[in-house]
């Protein structure tokens, strides 16, 4: 198994002094979670898509960490971090309050940068250093110990933007010892596409190795769990060939980021599909198992909005329970 990196967490007063955490966030002591929980943190949008109460989810499932999404460039342009392109991190209170409640309940968060929509900081910042400085503001503001780079279209196809993102990730990893860094990218039936292999090559040339590379095997003609585990096997081969890793090392840096229920492309992934992929992940020593999203982890009622419910029969938080199983298996 991939070694779980842990860090010693200072007292709240030290966190305030060293990281300049604003008062509303500083009042909440960081929970000493292992990397297994950051690697099993499902995505949750704290400021859109009818966010559920994360503490209620924690109480119902045993989940201890969430992947809060997404940090973007301002919708009007610039190189400062915002939530969803509209809410500046510098003046945020909504996400800070969510993080505080999660920490008060014994959990913690990672924050995801990028995603599918909006303009990414890698597209608007001038270079890796300025991109890293924008993300460092997020780390400092919320006292983060984990960050996810969700690199998707169109940024994914922009050479300069990907150079900025990967270079920033490397700088953050260097400047924040113990920071858990994951890189998430689109999945295809071949593992990942041409831009994904270019991303791996760029990271290798930089000498940058994240804790995990995850693919998203959905929205690409997938049908159930077998197509997803096949894609993970293909991606495993790409990790070996592009990074010169042996099989065990490749599995130990590989992750799954699924979509629960109905995907944007009309694919369906049920609880049984998640169970199959979970068994594959734990059986092969994968280092991450997550999904999009907790906002969707509930049955649809009068609305079938795919952003706020799964469009498959389920009880609330059925899919979150699989990430809990992964964390408990890999601790």
């Amino acid at each position: 198994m991939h070694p779980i990196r842990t860090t010693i967490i200072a007292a709240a007063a030290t966190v305030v002094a060293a990281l300049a955490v604003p008062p509303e966030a500083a009042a909440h002591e960081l929970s000493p979670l292992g990397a297994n929980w950051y690697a099993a943190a499902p995505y949750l949008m704290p400021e859109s898509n009818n966010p559920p109460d994360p503490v209620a989810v924690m109480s119902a499932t045993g989940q201890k960490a969430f992947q809060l999404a997404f940090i973007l460039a301002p919708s009007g342009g610039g190189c400062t971090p915002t939530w969803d392109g509209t809410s500046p991190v510098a003046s945020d209170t909504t996400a800070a309050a969510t993080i505080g409640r999660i920490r008060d309940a014994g959990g913690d968060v990672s924050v995801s940068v990028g995603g599918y929509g909006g303009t990414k900081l890698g597209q608007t910042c001038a270079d890796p250093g300025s991109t890293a400085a924008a993300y460092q503001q997020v780390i400092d503001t919320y006292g983060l110990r984990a960050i996810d780079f969700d690199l998707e279209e169109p940024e994914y196809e922009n050479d300069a933007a990907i150079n900025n993102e990967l270079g920033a990730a490397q700088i953050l990893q260097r400047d924040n010892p113990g920071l858990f860094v994951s890189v998430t990218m689109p999945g295809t039936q071949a593992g990942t596409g041409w831009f994904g292999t270019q991303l791996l090559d760029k990271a290798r040339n930089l000498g940058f190795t994240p804790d995990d590379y995850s693919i998203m095997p959905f929205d690409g003609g997938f049908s159930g769990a077998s197509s997803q585990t096949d894609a993970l096997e293909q991606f495993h081969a790409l990790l070996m060939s592009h990074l010169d890793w042996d099989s065990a090392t490749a599995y130990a840096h590989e992750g799954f980021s699924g979509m629960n229920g109905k995907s944007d492309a009309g694919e369906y992934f049920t609880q049984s599909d998640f169970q199959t992929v979970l068994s594959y992940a734990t059986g092969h020593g994968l280092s991450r198992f997550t999904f999009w999203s907790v906002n969707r982890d509930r049955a649809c009622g009068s609305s079938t909005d795919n952003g706020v419910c799964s469009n498959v029969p389920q009880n609330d938080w059925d899919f979150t329970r699989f990430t809990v199983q992964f964390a408990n298996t890999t601790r």
Side-chain angles (χ1 to χ4, degrees):
M1 296 294 294
H2 181 52
I4 294 176
R5 301 193 305 170
T6 59
T7 58
I8 299 174
I9 305 304
T14 304
V15 173
V16 176
L19 298 180
V21 182
E24 64 271 19
H28 308 276
E29 184 178 354
L30 295 177
S31 180
L33 300 184
N36 58 315
W37 283 107
Y38 300 114
Y43 290 83
L44 187 153
M45 299 189 81
E47 301 199 6
S48 56
N49 281 10
N50 189 21
D53 178 359
V55 176
V57 178
M58 294 168 71
S59 177
T61 66
Q63 181 59 264
K64 293 184 179 180
F66 297 93
Q67 190 84 55
L68 301 189
F70 284 108
I71 295 295
L72 297 171
S75 57
C79 184
T80 57
T82 70
W83 289 101
D84 301 333
T86 57
S87 176
V89 166
S91 57
D92 163 68
T93 57
T94 301
T98 298
I99 293 168
R101 294 190 67 243
I102 292 169
R103 287 176 174 164
D104 284 347
D108 200 6
V109 303
S110 175
V111 166
S112 186
V113 306
Y116 181 76
T119 302
K120 294 29 169 222
L121 284 163
Q123 296 172 272
T124 59
C125 295
D127 50 37
S130 57
T131 309
Y135 292 141
Q136 188 66 53
Q137 180 185 342
V138 183
I139 292 171
D140 291 348
T141 297
Y142 303 115
L144 299 180
R145 296 191 298 153
I147 190 168
D148 174 56
F149 284 76
D150 189 328
L151 305 177
E152 302 188 41
E153 300 172 348
E155 181 187 41
Y156 182 61
E157 301 172 2
N158 181 320
D159 187 69
I162 292 300
N163 283 336
N164 285 345
E165 297 285 9
L166 292 178
Q170 184 178 42
I171 292 168
L172 296 176
Q173 187 183 63
R174 180 197 68 206
D175 292 350
N176 299 270
L179 183 72
F180 182 89
V181 180
S182 55
V183 173
T184 305
M185 68 183 79
T188 71
Q189 295 176 55
T192 191
W194 186 85
F195 290 105
T197 58
Q198 290 296 297
L199 187 156
L200 295 177
D201 291 342
K202 287 179 184 297
R204 178 185 174 184
N205 291 337
L206 280 173
F208 166 60
T209 302
D211 292 270
D212 178 271
Y213 286 108
S214 295
I215 57 167
M216 298 177 283
F218 58 84
D219 287 350
F222 292 94
S223 179
S226 61
S227 65
Q228 295 182 309
T229 56
D230 287 348
L232 287 166
E233 272 298 295
Q234 294 295 323
F235 187 56
H236 171 252
L238 292 173
L239 290 174
M240 289 193 293
S241 62
H242 284 265
L243 300 175
D244 283 341
W245 285 344
D246 60 28
S247 179
T249 302
Y251 280 131
H253 288 82
E254 180 178 4
F256 166 78
S257 181
M259 191 169 189
N260 55 312
K262 180 183 178 182
S263 76
D264 303 306
E267 307 148 329
Y268 284 87
F269 304 101
T270 65
Q271 294 91 326
S272 63
D273 294 316
F274 266 57
Q275 181 60 66
T276 297
V277 178
L278 174 64
S279 296
Y280 170 90
T282 56
H284 289 78
L286 268 63
S287 57
R288 188 166 176 243
F289 185 96
T290 184
F291 72 94
W292 179 266
S293 66
V294 182
N295 301 65
R296 308 177 66 254
D297 194 7
R298 45 199 171 189
C300 293
S302 58
S303 170
T304 57
D305 181 349
N306 215 41
V308 301
C309 60
S310 68
N311 280 287
V312 298
Q314 70 160 100
N315 297 311
D316 287 352
W317 329 132
D318 273 355
F319 292 93
T320 301
R321 291 181 174 89
F322 291 106
T323 58
V324 174
Q325 290 182 52
F326 180 80
N328 286 331
T329 300
T330 55
R331 62 185 175 187

